[in-house]
Amino acid sequence: MPRLNPGHVLRSLVPRSRVQRVYLLVSMINVYGTGLIVTAMTLYAIRVVHLTAERSGLALTIAGLVGLLASMPVGRLADRRGPRGVLGLSLLVVAAAAAGYVFFARSFVSYLIVAVVDGSALSSSLTANVALLRRVGGDDATTFRSQANAVLNLGMAFGIATAGVAIQLNTVNAYRALFLGNALSCLIGVAVLTRVPRFEPLPGAHEESPFTALRDRPFLGYTVLSGAMYMQYFVLGLLLPVWVVFHTNAPRWSVAAFVIINTVMVVLFQVRVGATVQTLRQGGAAIRRAGMIFLVSCSVMGLAAGLPAWGALLLLAGAVVLHSYGELWHASATYALDFGLAPPHAQGQYQGLVSMGNFAGQALSPLILVGLVLSAGRLGFVLLGAWFALLGLAGPAVARWGERTRPAAPAPGAPVADAVAAAAVAAAEQATVTD
């Protein structure tokens, strides 16, 4: 693991560009609002709307599946109209949906309607956000995304910690306050977003077919790989808490401690690891490394069953550290491959497609992780690790396939290269004028 230099870590989280700093502020505000409700969504449905856990889960599953359909069209719209405006509109809809939970959701049907609007708007905002990040990041977009990931983990942690207060109070008004806080955070984010330059569409965006990404077989292969590997993010947040509470002797408070460990590691090391993963081949190798790490971390988690409390705690803590280290390599790989495989003028469309794959992996995570892995006990954890390892082994081949089928990089003076450079210059000039 990279050596820790606290001063360097803190400096690495703050970009030199003013535009990038404003973008990170917008993202942190918004993800804080997401953290307010992400752990309270089902509790709100049960406590305030008076739904059963099953009906709440059904509504959220339907909303998630419908949200998948918005990713590619919204991504293409961001290519054709510019990502900032699309992101701002999406956040306004998210704010309206958050308020809708409070003032409109009174039954299963009304809750489902709001959840579908919320899921579609959230999917749209995530796709537009990545497209905007690509423009703000410029030539260093992959490194900048590592910075953003570290900062966003902090924002999410603060949001979840705030939500913990409301969950502890367990009152109707406390839960409603969380959703109103989410709406407010979106509105504040939209206001700050106006300080980010309005990036114009790049040449070729209007002429690009809406099905270009779907016809790109190497990128489709990468999308499937990314979606399947995306389930690793839910091992610590979804599978491990249930395993700890119902199948091990580890103290229940350790669930929160494991989340903190993961957050701290991402904040401290994501930029350091991400700096070593910049090319397509490096991305493929990073996926392979992550898969091997997940094989060990998942297998170790399964060994905690039957151990005394202190033994289970130490073993699980080590597994969480290891899994978090694998997450650093997996995240860095996706940053390099997401941007490297997509043409400059169709980043939104391509990010929309890979987002669909990731959301599909997210939707299947409860069924696979809790339904299948957990029911198989220790063997289930070993098989899960083996699954991630097999996916990791496919990473280099997918990266090489994508590299072979990408067009040659444009020479200096090519239209797209000129447009990217001009956009960067215009953004810098606009930022200077507004200061």
Side-chain angles (χ1 to χ4, degrees):
M1 186 176 296
R3 276 187 276 176
L4 176 62
N5 183 326
H8 177 75
V9 169
L10 293 176
R11 288 193 299 271
S12 69
L13 296 181
V14 182
R16 295 181 179 180
S17 164
R18 172 192 168 276
V19 174
Q20 291 179 349
R21 292 195 299 270
V22 174
Y23 169 86
L24 286 186
L25 177 60
V26 173
S27 299
M28 191 168 186
I29 291 171
N30 292 329
V31 80
Y32 172 80
T34 302
L36 290 178
I37 65 172
V38 67
T39 57
M41 187 69 73
T42 301
L43 294 173
Y44 182 89
I46 296 172
R47 184 75 173 82
V48 181
V49 189
H50 305 296
L51 302 180
T52 63
E54 291 76 15
R55 287 172 72 84
S56 169
L58 176 62
L60 295 178
T61 299
I62 294 173
L65 293 176
V66 173
L68 288 176
L69 304 178
S71 296
M72 279 194 66
V74 168
R76 186 165 186 264
L77 183 63
D79 290 331
R80 293 165 61 88
R81 299 293 184 182
R84 194 193 77 170
V86 176
L87 175 59
L89 180 59
S90 299
L91 291 176
L92 289 176
V93 178
V94 172
Y101 283 112
V102 177
F103 299 110
F104 180 71
R106 295 289 185 270
S107 64
F108 173 76
V109 174
S110 58
Y111 181 84
L112 175 61
I113 292 172
V114 175
V116 167
V117 174
D118 185 32
S120 300
L122 182 61
S123 173
S124 301
S125 69
L126 292 174
T127 299
N129 188 49
V130 176
L132 180 59
L133 185 152
R134 177 66 181 87
R135 301 295 295 275
V136 171
D139 292 337
D140 296 323
T142 300
T143 299
F144 179 56
R145 196 171 178 183
S146 293
Q147 291 176 309
N149 186 49
V151 172
L152 296 186
N153 268 268
L154 275 178
M156 179 68 75
F158 290 148
I160 292 174
T162 305
V165 177
I167 293 173
Q168 182 64 34
L169 293 174
N170 197 35
T171 64
V172 170
N173 287 335
Y175 286 119
R176 286 175 174 165
L178 292 178
F179 283 82
L180 293 177
N182 182 32
L184 180 61
S185 73
C186 289
L187 296 178
I188 295 174
V190 171
V192 179
L193 185 63
T194 60
R195 304 288 293 176
V196 175
R198 183 186 295 277
F199 293 93
E200 297 299 326
L202 291 173
H206 287 278
E207 293 77 19
E208 191 67 68
S209 166
F211 305 107
T212 299
L214 289 173
R215 294 170 181 156
D216 190 334
R217 292 184 179 180
F219 195 83
L220 275 176
Y222 167 64
T223 296
V224 173
L225 174 64
S226 179
M229 199 75 158
Y230 197 76
M231 286 191 294
Q232 69 85 8
Y233 285 108
F234 300 92
V235 170
L236 300 185
L238 179 65
L239 175 61
L240 188 60
V242 181
W243 179 248
V244 168
V245 173
F246 294 104
H247 299 276
T248 78
N249 295 315
R252 294 187 177 185
W253 56 260
S254 64
V255 172
F258 297 151
V259 173
I260 294 173
I261 291 173
N262 176 257
T263 301
V264 170
M265 287 193 62
V266 171
V267 171
L268 293 180
F269 298 115
Q270 184 67 79
V271 176
R272 295 287 299 277
V273 172
T276 66
V277 185
Q278 300 291 315
T279 67
L280 293 180
R281 294 210 175 190
Q282 289 172 343
I287 287 184
R288 179 177 58 198
R289 177 177 294 186
M292 295 300 104
I293 295 172
F294 294 147
L295 170 61
V296 179
S297 65
C298 291
S299 300
V300 171
M301 289 177 197
L303 296 177
L307 295 179
W310 66 269
L313 177 61
L314 292 177
L315 191 67
L316 289 172
V320 169
V321 170
L322 194 59
H323 197 90
S324 299
Y325 185 50
E327 180 182 321
L328 298 176
W329 288 102
H330 173 224
S332 298
T334 61
Y335 304 159
L337 293 167
D338 282 3
F339 292 151
L341 291 173
H345 58 280
Q347 286 285 333
Q349 182 185 156
Y350 273 67
Q351 303 315 319
L353 178 58
V354 78
S355 292
M356 288 180 65
N358 292 342
F359 281 128
Q362 177 179 339
L364 292 173
S365 290
L367 173 64
I368 295 176
L369 297 182
V370 178
L372 299 179
V373 174
L374 202 62
S375 62
R378 291 180 177 178
L379 177 60
F381 278 87
V382 174
L383 293 176
L384 178 64
W387 168 247
F388 287 139
L390 288 174
L391 293 173
L393 291 174
V398 171
R400 288 193 299 270
W401 186 19
E403 187 178 47
R404 288 196 305 270
T405 54
R406 298 306 95 179
V416 172
D418 283 347
V420 173
V425 171
E429 292 176 348
Q430 182 172 343
T432 302
V433 170
T434 54
D435 277 345

